[in-house]
Amino acid sequence: MLPGLWEAHAHLMLTGHADYPRWQRVYTDRFADEIMPASALQLLLAGITSTRDLGAPLEASVSLLNAVESGELPGPRLFMSGPFLQAEVAEWQKGYRWAVRSIGDAKRRVAQLDEAGMVIVKLIDQDKMPRSVAEAIVEEAHARGMKVVAHSHRPDEIRVGLEIGVDNFEHTGLTTAPEYPPDVMLMLKERTARGRVAGGPLFWTPTVEGLWNFDRTVANPEKLDDPCWKVGLQDDTIADIQSSIAQPGQLGYTRLTPLRKPTLKRKIAQLREAGVVFMVGTDSGIPMKFHCQSTWNEMDVLVRVMGLPVMDVIRSAVYWPAVMMDVEQDLGTVSAGKFADIIAVRGDVLEYISLLQRVDFVMKGGVVYKHDGRATAAALP
C-alpha cells in the first residue's frame, strides 16, 4: 500500500499519436469531450491520483479541471498549466502555445492563466526571449503563488532559467551532447546550495524512460497494442493513433533518440551530483508514450538502469511533487488528516518496482475507483 502516485509531466491533450500537426488539426475540437477525459481516466486507473498537466488549450483545460473537481468525470487531482509561454509560435501550435514578446504580454498572459485556475506556468525557449520578458513571467507567476516549470533542452535554457528563478526543470535535454557543460554544473550546485533561501529545492523532472526504452519498443512493439490506452477513446481515434505509430522505428519525432540514449546515465549522475530533487514525470502522451504505462516505466528505469535507490524513486513519485506544489499538508504520504489517496499492489515494490505496472487498488479522496484490478462503477463516466 502506497500513497497515490503523481505523474509530474503529462500532456492530457495527447494520447500517443505521432503526427502533431494532424492531431491538432483533427482533434482539437475533441480535446474537452473525448481526449482529455480519456487521458485522465487512464491515469487514474494506473494509480495516478495527482498529475501536472503541462501544456494544453486553456478552454479545454478549464473544462476538464471543473469536471474532475466537481465529480462529473473521474480523474486524478489536476495541477494544470494551460498553454505554453514561449518566444515564437508556429501557426498550427497557436491553440496550445502563446507567444510572449513584451513585459506587458508576460503579465497579461500569466494573469489570464491564474484567473482561469491554472497553478503552473509552462515556460520554454526562455533563452530566446528578451531577458526582461522572461523575468517578468517568473516574477508575475511567483507573485500570484504559481509555480514555473521550464524546459532544459539547451544549456542556455538552463542558464537563463536559473538566473530568472524557475522552480523546476523538465527533461534531460542537450540532445546528443555527452554531458552538461561545467559552467552549468557549477550554476546548478550554487542554486541547490541555497535551498530554502532560494525558495526551496531545485526540482528536476528528467523524463528518461521513453528515450531509454525506445529501441526495445521498436524491436518488441507489443506494448503499443495494450488495450489500457484505448479506454475512453472512440474507435476512429484509436485507429488513427495506431496508424500513426505503425512503423515505430521510422518516426521523425524519434530520429535522434538512439543517439541520445548513451548520454542518459551520465546526465542523470550529474544531476544527482548537483543535488537537484527528482520528480517522476514522463512527458506522458507524446508519441508511443501512453498514460497507462509511462509512470511505472519511468520508475522502473530510474531504479533498474539509473541506479537510484527504490525508496528515493517512490518518494519522487509521491512525496516530492506534493512538496513542490505546496500541497504536502494534504497529499504525498499516507498519514492521518490527509486526503485518502491510496493505491495497492500485490507484492513488494521495494524489491520489484515493476509491480506498479499492475495497480490492483486505487482510491482517491476516499472513493474506490479500482478494486481487485478492475475499474469500479465510480470510474465509469
Side-chain angles (χ1 to χ4, degrees), residues 5-8 42-43 45-48 209-210 213 216 223 226 228 280-282 284 289-304 313-314 317 343 345 349 352-359 370:
L5 301 176
W6 283 68
E7 168 53 62
Q42 292 169 20
L43 285 165
L45 294 179
I48 313 301
E209 175 274 324
N213 284 334
R216 295 181 62 189
K223 64 183 278 188
D226 192 327
C228 71
V280 171
T282 67
S284 181
K289 284 182 65 66
F290 298 113
H291 300 293
C292 57
Q293 301 171 340
S294 294
T295 308
W296 83 262
N297 274 319
E298 184 82 6
M299 297 175 74
D300 175 67
V301 167
L302 289 174
V303 171
R304 179 175 52 83
V313 172
I314 291 173
I343 66 171
V345 297
V349 295
Y352 305 106
I353 193 71
S354 62
L355 288 170
L356 288 171
Q357 69 186 283
R358 187 166 298 178
V359 175
K370 193 175 186 182

Side-chain angles (χ1 to χ4, degrees), residues 99-330:
V100 178
R101 299 187 178 91
S102 69
I103 293 174
D105 277 349
K107 292 183 176 182
R108 178 173 60 86
R109 287 303 198 182
V110 172
Q112 185 177 356
L113 294 173
D114 178 33
E115 291 163 7
M118 305 297 102
V119 294
I120 301 169
V121 170
K122 173 71 175 290
L123 176 61
I124 71 171
D125 294 344
Q126 57 270 16
D127 56 327
K128 296 183 178 180
M129 288 181 172
R131 179 61 58 88
S132 60
V133 174
E135 289 174 344
I137 290 173
V138 175
E139 289 172 1
E140 185 69 18
H142 286 170
R144 292 173 172 271
M146 304 172 77
K147 302 297 183 180
V148 181
V149 305
H151 273 183
S152 61
H153 288 309
R154 297 181 297 276
D156 277 348
E157 273 190 312
I158 303 173
R159 295 181 182 113
V160 172
L162 288 169
E163 290 170 356
I164 64 178
V166 304
D167 304 296
N168 172 199
F169 286 104
E170 306 294 309
H171 313 303
T172 48
L174 299 179
T175 185
T176 59
E179 61 183 8
Y180 295 103
D183 72 297
V184 168
M185 291 302 299
L186 179 60
M187 292 181 71
L188 288 174
K189 292 175 183 178
E190 289 178 344
R191 167 60 181 84
T192 59
R194 296 198 300 274
R196 188 182 299 272
V197 176
L202 176 63
F203 293 97
W204 204 291
T205 316
T207 68
V208 294
E209 175 274 324
L211 298 168
W212 185 266
N213 284 334
F214 171 72
D215 53 355
R216 295 181 62 189
T217 300
V218 171
N220 301 286
E222 288 86 354
K223 64 183 278 188
L224 304 182
D225 294 326
D226 192 327
C228 71
W229 67 260
K230 303 171 186 177
V231 172
L233 295 175
Q234 296 182 21
D235 289 344
D236 61 335
T237 307
I238 294 168
D240 196 3
I241 294 169
Q242 289 174 320
S243 176
S244 78
I245 57 175
Q247 299 295 330
Q250 299 178 23
L251 305 181
Y253 187 90
T254 57
R255 63 167 58 96
L256 284 176
T257 297
L259 301 179
R260 295 179 66 184
K261 179 176 180 176
T263 74
L264 296 176
K265 286 186 177 181
R266 173 59 180 152
K267 289 170 182 172
I268 290 293
Q270 283 184 291
L271 292 174
R272 291 182 69 191
E273 177 188 345
V276 305
V277 175
F278 283 143
M279 296 192 299
V280 171
T282 67
D283 230 2
S284 181
I286 67 171
M288 299 189 294
K289 284 182 65 66
F290 298 113
H291 300 293
C292 57
Q293 301 171 340
S294 294
T295 308
W296 83 262
N297 274 319
E298 184 82 6
M299 297 175 74
D300 175 67
V301 167
L302 289 174
V303 171
R304 179 175 52 83
V305 178
M306 303 300 166
L308 275 64
V310 64
M311 186 57 79
D312 287 359
V313 172
I314 291 173
R315 285 169 65 83
S316 294
V318 298
Y319 174 70
W320 286 119
V323 172
M324 193 269 168
M325 294 307 304
D326 292 332
V327 291
E328 70 269 28
Q329 71 277 7
D330 295 321

Side-chain angles (χ1 to χ4, degrees), residues 2-6 49-50 69 76-79 318 322 326-343 363-367:
L2 306 95
L5 301 176
W6 283 68
T49 58
S50 298
E69 288 188 343
R77 300 182 191 278
L78 297 170
F79 301 81
V318 298
D326 292 332
V327 291
E328 70 269 28
Q329 71 277 7
D330 295 321
L331 301 170
T333 62
V334 178
S335 307
K338 294 194 177 184
F339 295 148
D341 291 6
I342 298 171
I343 66 171
M363 174 187 284
K364 189 195 101 178
V367 177

